Amino acid sequence: MKPSFIKNLTLPAIAAPMFLISGPQLVIECCKNGIVGTFPALNQRSSEGFEEWLLEIKAALADFEKETGKKAAPFGVNLIVHKTNPRLQADLALCVQHKVPIIITSLGAVSELVDAVHRYGGLVFHDVIKKRHAEKAAEAGVDGLILVCAGAGGHAGTLHPMPFITEIKSFFKKTIILSGCISTGRDIAAALQMGADLAYMGTRFINTKESKAPEEYRDMIINAGASDIVYTAAVSGVAANFLAPSLQAMGISEEMLSQKKKVDFGDELTVKKDEAKAWATIWSAGQGVASITNSPHVSELVATLKNDFKNAIEAQIKNLEVYQ
């Protein structure tokens, strides 16, 4: 059974939580425009600040619904479920207290966390890059799996989406969310054709007016092509995709890219730590940069995505008529 909120969306899409990029403004505008907006809890440097963002988002969406009579899309929070994240329990408690509709878990699927979210009626989506991770998450009782495929921005996998979706759907009957190089409405339509229920879009939302990305970051994305994306574990200890020009600007050599750094998400809690500095100056993006040529407002982007999605579906229907 698929979540009921899907049928109320403008588009079957989630704006992915992006470290240092996703904030309240981006989340609020996504939800107002009918797609799921999300952000990482660690984008706020303390649990107190994290709660402030939760209150800001809830208040803005409540005002929107009261003023317009429209239902906003649900929002979500990304929690890093890793032993090096000292804030996990405190941030989870706040999510429970404020009944965050969607929790996105990374680097660990824990049944106790899933149970805590289910008790207040929330949903848990877990991101995976291989079948083994998906099986463990399914055992933990998650409501959906985010298949992070080759070419995705941030911490990405290496599998092609077609066989990956087929493999996962053979044993997982709940919600499937597809991630990796999805930048257009046609891409969203293709994701659904492959068997996904929702498209997961990160890089495309870096280049919106409401994101926290600096202008230089957005310009680099506009000027980049798919071959300008480098996949390396040297930055955070977990393999991720980064813009080659930003690596070069920081003096990162080919030899350094082959090295693997120890994973420690505790480092991301303080701007003085090397990890946070790295992500602030070495910019992540997916291969979907190839189709990004502007930096619109979220409302403009969603309208364009919706129009292109509709046109793609209509073209598929016409193709079906041809082959009957």
Side-chain angles (χ1 to χ4, degrees):
M1 184 176 179
K2 308 304 179 186
S4 60
F5 76 82
I6 292 180
K7 67 178 183 295
N8 297 322
L9 299 178
T10 299
L11 276 169
I14 297 174
M18 296 174 285
F19 186 53
L20 303 181
I21 300 300
S22 306
Q25 187 178 10
L26 180 57
V27 171
I28 291 165
E29 288 306 308
C30 285
C31 295
K32 284 182 177 180
N33 284 279
I35 67 170
V36 179
T38 68
F39 71 99
L42 295 183
N43 272 9
Q44 260 287 5
R45 295 303 172 180
S46 68
S47 291
E48 291 76 16
F50 170 52
E51 184 174 26
E52 290 174 3
W53 277 12
L54 291 178
L55 292 169
E56 179 181 350
I57 291 167
K58 289 173 65 178
L61 296 182
D63 288 344
F64 167 79
E65 293 182 350
K66 183 177 180 181
E67 292 167 4
T68 66
K70 298 178 180 179
K71 181 70 174 175
F75 74 96
V77 166
N78 175 221
L79 297 178
I80 301 296
V81 186
H82 191 275
K83 61 183 180 181
T84 63
N85 178 9
R87 268 180 44 191
L88 175 59
Q89 294 306 317
D91 290 348
L92 174 59
L94 289 170
C95 289
V96 172
Q97 178 185 337
H98 291 284
K99 297 182 179 180
V100 174
I102 298 171
I103 301 297
I104 296 170
T105 52
S106 304
L107 297 177
V110 180
S111 59
E112 290 80 7
L113 182 151
V114 175
D115 291 342
V117 175
H118 283 174
R119 278 195 288 273
Y120 69 79
L123 298 171
V124 179
F125 297 156
H126 184 69
D127 59 22
V128 298
I129 62 172
K130 57 183 64 175
K131 182 181 179 182
R132 179 170 59 84
H133 297 162
E135 290 172 335
K136 289 184 176 181
E139 290 174 3
V142 300
D143 303 285
L145 292 173
I146 303 165
L147 312 190
V148 187
C149 299
H155 296 131
T158 58
L159 295 177
H160 189 283
M162 287 185 179
F164 197 15
I165 284 182
T166 300
E167 192 172 49
I168 300 306
K169 285 178 77 72
S170 68
F171 67 89
F172 189 75
K173 307 305 179 184
K174 299 179 183 179
T175 306
I176 298 289
I177 303 116
L178 184 63
S179 170
C181 308
I182 301 175
S183 296
T184 69
R186 182 176 293 276
D187 295 340
I188 297 173
L192 268 59
Q193 284 292 88
M194 283 188 280
D197 299 295
L198 292 161
Y200 202 62
M201 307 177 73
T203 302
R204 174 63 271 200
F205 283 86
I206 296 173
N207 275 50
T208 57
K209 302 296 186 187
E210 292 83 0
S211 92
K212 297 171 73 66
E215 200 64 36
E216 296 83 0
Y217 191 171
R218 301 177 196 179
D219 289 343
M220 189 176 290
I221 286 176
I222 289 172
N223 294 321
S227 60
D228 293 310
I229 303 302
V230 177
Y231 187 65
T232 178
V235 176
S236 68
V238 179
N241 279 312
F242 296 92
L243 286 157
S246 73
L247 291 166
Q248 295 162 3
M250 293 301 294
I252 305 296
S253 66
E254 289 290 333
E255 181 181 358
M256 294 168 68
L257 290 176
S258 65
Q259 299 173 357
K260 187 172 182 179
K261 187 177 179 180
K262 182 180 178 181
V263 179
D264 189 346
F265 286 90
D267 282 356
E268 296 182 352
L269 304 181
T270 307
V271 293
K272 294 181 181 179
K273 297 289 186 179
D274 291 341
E275 181 69 15
K277 286 183 178 179
W279 281 87
T281 55
I282 301 174
W283 295 329
S284 178
Q287 293 174 10
V289 295
S291 58
I292 298 173
T293 60
N294 62 356
S295 297
H297 287 285
V298 167
S299 59
E300 297 168 330
L301 174 58
V302 173
T304 298
L305 292 172
K306 184 177 180 180
N307 183 63
D308 292 346
F309 174 77
K310 180 181 177 181
N311 290 339
I313 296 296
E314 290 176 347
Q316 289 173 346
I317 292 172
K318 290 180 180 179
N319 286 335
L320 178 63
E321 294 172 350
V322 169
Y323 293 110
Q324 284 181 343

